[in-house]
Amino acid sequence: AYITAGQKIEIPLGCNDLHHEIELGVVISKQCKRVTEDAAMNYVGGYCLALDMTARDFQNEAKKKGSPWTMAKMFDTSLPVSDFIPATSIPDPHNVQLWCKVNGETRQDGNTKDMIFSVPTLISFISQYFTLE
């Protein structure tokens, strides 16, 4: 579902309420399976900026039905990403200012220090259930 800079975002058929949120994407450099938090950063090759797109009307309908949010979160072109950012360019991924502007208007302004879970915690947890590559 990811696309790179310059590719067109396609709004899903029937979607009338598309939301976006800027995220720090973590690029895994080698196969990562059941790693500890202490070892997790050894698997980070770099980063990217990612625009997390949500078809909010699809999500709200799925919530009402108690259904999965798959259609709301995983449609084609739902994750535009920036060019690769080497890990050495971001020495502390837990203190990165991220913002999103649309037509010059600030829509989001935040810092990764406000994340609930750290990058190593997320990598370790996810890698217990999914092999990351």
Side-chain angles (χ1 to χ4, degrees):
Y2 84 93
I3 57 173
T4 55
Q7 291 182 287
K8 185 178 176 181
I9 297 169
E10 296 178 16
I11 298 172
L13 293 175
C15 176
N16 297 304
D17 191 14
L18 189 62
H19 289 207
H20 56 272
E21 182 176 20
I22 194 76
E23 305 278 1
L24 179 65
V26 177
V27 179
I28 300 297
S29 62
K30 57 188 172 187
Q31 190 176 78
C32 177
K33 185 172 184 166
R34 297 191 179 121
V35 300
T36 64
E37 284 186 41
D38 290 339
M41 293 305 288
N42 295 328
Y43 294 83
V44 175
Y47 304 93
C48 66
L49 294 176
L51 197 58
D52 178 13
M53 307 291 289
T54 303
R56 194 68 72 200
D57 44 356
F58 291 7
Q59 182 184 40
N60 291 338
E61 189 62 32
K63 282 181 181 180
K64 286 180 194 173
K65 295 177 180 177
S67 299
W69 302 355
T70 307
M71 294 294 288
K73 299 295 288 182
M74 297 180 190
F75 55 90
D76 287 348
T77 76
S78 64
L79 187 64
V81 298
S82 72
D83 291 334
F84 177 76
I85 303 167
T88 54
S89 296
I90 299 181
D92 182 4
H94 303 105
N95 188 17
V96 178
Q97 194 70 27
L98 300 174
W99 66 93
C100 177
K101 290 184 178 185
V102 177
N103 298 324
E105 176 189 338
T106 299
R107 298 281 180 93
Q108 184 182 352
D109 189 2
N111 193 296
T112 57
K113 68 183 176 191
D114 297 323
M115 290 173 51
I116 296 170
F117 300 105
S118 70
V119 171
T121 298
L122 291 167
I123 291 171
S124 178
F125 179 80
I126 295 166
S127 75
Q128 303 306 307
Y129 302 96
F130 301 96
T131 300
L132 304 174
E133 296 181 342

